[in-house]
Amino acid sequence: MTDLILHHYPSSPFSEKIRLILGYKKLPWKSVLIPPIMPKPDVIALTGGYRKTPVLQVGADIYCDTALICDVLEHVRADPTLYPPHLKGVCRIFAQWADTTLFWAAMGYNLQPRGAAHVFAKAPPDAAKAFSDDRKAMSSNLVRLRPGDATSAYRSYLRRIANMADEHDFLFGLEPCVADFAAYHGIWYTRQQVAPLADILNATPSVGEWAQRVEAIGHGPMTKLGAADAVALAAAADPMPPGANLLIDSAFQDDHGIPLGTRVTVTPETFGTEPTEGELIAATRTHYSLRRDDARVGTVHVHFPRLGYVLRAVAPA
């Protein structure tokens, strides 16, 4: 199999989710560090517009959104599984809640003024404003909690997670599943990136003990790769045919009246709503795939989950 290349940056919570899953599955991977904010010319060359972090590259196939990346990694190495058969539905639903509701409460708490001041304490004077402006641009369709409301919600969610962690080593049993990695990354940011605010975890010690167990999984065998090298690898590769890539479903599911071969855009619903345009080559029960051409990377296939994304046909010129 072609190398797994993760485009990420160290303080990205969703990147931490995937780094730990790579470690859990003991998959070797290559690390491409990308900027936390725009411009991201190498990322955009690969994705065609999508600019959220992380992105998984496998040759000339580009996988966007950690929910889809989890499915890819499960297909690459099914054991240990992220989706235990007796928990397949509930762990996916919990992970979706954790990636959205829990995450935004956690980050509303984490990046309140005191937390943001700590994050950018050693950065250049204009770094905090640049980051804030970038995230405001990404959040135009998102209703974000004010710090006080985020704090109240985060405390409540931590208590509920503690109820689960009191019962098992991991949230749903003796082994981790996708729910653990999805719940962990916002809490990881509290523990690792905004230490002055981490006292919110003191009221739920079992959450801290659970987080230590997740952290101990580690990131697995990683080697560094330059962004230009990753672009060159994509340019030199041919994307996998639809139905033969690292996503297990391939049957066409038409919920939009948009046939394959149509010029379309795929856009995140709420956060980072930059569209990616290309030719629709797959629309299955779980994902969309677009074929697109770029002067730097040649022909690539860019893949998105259905959930959380909007498919639209491009109006004729």
Side-chain angles (χ1 to χ4, degrees), residues 34 80 109 130 141-142 180 184 245 281-282 297 301:
I34 64 175
Y109 171 80
N141 287 358
L142 180 71
D180 293 275
Y184 175 76
N245 56 39
I281 58 171
V297 301
H301 290 174

Side-chain angles (χ1 to χ4, degrees), residues 23-275:
Y24 179 54
K25 289 182 171 289
K26 296 181 172 56
L27 286 166
W29 57 286
K30 294 188 182 299
S31 166
V32 176
L33 294 181
I34 64 175
I37 64 174
M38 293 291 268
K40 301 182 179 184
D42 300 313
V43 172
I44 300 305
L46 292 167
T47 68
Y50 180 90
R51 54 95 141 208
K52 295 195 287 182
T53 305
V55 169
L56 181 69
Q57 175 188 351
V58 183
D61 283 84
I62 313 301
Y63 299 92
C64 302
D65 195 289
T66 60
L68 189 68
I69 294 171
C70 286
D71 287 348
V72 170
L73 298 182
E74 183 78 356
H75 186 58
V76 171
R77 183 164 293 170
D79 185 28
T81 183
L82 295 174
Y83 311 108
H86 64 295
L87 296 170
K88 187 176 292 186
V90 69
C91 74
R92 282 187 182 274
I93 290 171
F94 185 97
Q96 186 180 10
W97 169 82
D99 280 342
T100 53
T101 304
L102 173 63
F103 174 77
W104 287 115
M107 296 310 289
Y109 171 80
N110 291 332
L111 293 179
Q112 62 181 280
R114 189 157 63 101
H118 178 78
V119 169
F120 294 102
K122 297 180 181 179
D126 59 347
K129 183 179 185 305
F131 183 86
S132 176
D133 290 346
D134 182 83
R135 292 309 188 260
K136 284 179 182 176
M138 294 182 76
S139 305
S140 59
N141 287 358
L142 180 71
V143 177
R144 301 188 70 166
L145 294 172
R146 295 175 300 176
D149 297 324
T151 300
S152 297
Y154 195 26
R155 289 188 196 278
S156 293
Y157 299 149
L158 288 170
R159 289 194 298 269
R160 295 172 190 179
I161 292 170
N163 291 338
M164 302 171 74
D166 285 340
E167 298 294 325
H168 312 286
D169 285 350
F170 296 96
L171 296 185
F172 284 94
L174 296 177
E175 302 294 335
C177 66
V178 69
D180 293 275
F181 300 107
Y184 175 76
H185 58 90
I187 295 169
W188 165 82
Y189 200 93
T190 308
R191 297 174 74 234
Q192 301 293 336
Q193 305 297 321
V194 288
L197 299 182
D199 58 358
I200 196 172
L201 301 172
N202 293 345
T204 52
S206 61
V207 172
E209 294 164 3
W210 161 79
Q212 289 175 357
R213 288 191 285 273
V214 176
E215 180 183 14
I217 292 168
H219 296 165
M222 180 272 288
T223 55
K224 296 180 181 179
L225 183 70
D229 295 323
V231 167
L233 285 171
D238 293 321
M240 289 177 273
N245 56 39
L246 298 177
L247 296 164
I248 58 174
D249 63 330
S250 58
F252 180 46
Q253 178 176 306
D254 182 13
D255 295 332
H256 297 77
I258 300 176
L260 298 181
T262 302
R263 196 78 183 169
V264 299
T265 60
V266 174
T267 308
E269 287 179 358
T270 56
F271 183 68
T273 54
E274 291 84 359

